[in-house]
Amino acid sequence: MKLAKLNVKVRCDFGLCRNYASYEIYEQGVLAKRKIYICEDCAKQLFELLSKEFVPKSPVNLINKAVKKQGEKLK
């Protein structure tokens, strides 16, 4: 899946939005009518919704990792 900035005037595909699209979402080799056109406002709302749904896992803290290794060696 790819995201590209638009240079032409196209309406946003989301709901009743009447703004012009700023981005297009598409898959390589897809017809133009299968692309999704989205404005900046809808893109921000979509990003907020997706970021609540898919929360990235935090990396392991190096200090906690060292403490766990020491605890394993002591046993």
Side-chain angles (χ1 to χ4, degrees):
M1 196 172 286
K2 296 186 178 190
L3 178 72
K5 189 107 170 136
L6 281 175
N7 295 329
V8 295
K9 284 189 173 183
V10 180
R11 291 279 182 165
C12 181
D13 285 339
F14 279 81
L16 299 174
C17 183
R18 295 186 177 189
N19 297 333
Y20 287 110
S22 301
Y23 303 100
E24 65 179 343
I25 303 170
Y26 63 97
E27 193 71 39
Q28 191 68 25
V30 173
L31 298 173
K33 65 181 179 180
R34 301 288 246 168
K35 294 179 180 180
I36 299 171
Y37 299 104
I38 186 168
C39 68
E40 285 191 38
D41 295 336
C42 292
K44 287 178 185 176
Q45 289 178 0
L46 181 63
F47 177 74
E48 288 175 8
L49 291 172
L50 288 174
S51 65
K52 289 178 185 175
E53 187 68 28
F54 301 107
V55 179
K57 187 177 176 183
S58 62
V60 178
N61 189 339
L62 294 176
I63 296 171
N64 290 338
K65 191 174 181 181
V67 170
K68 286 180 184 178
K69 283 184 180 180
Q70 284 180 344
E72 291 173 2
K73 289 179 184 177
L74 294 175
K75 289 182 180 180

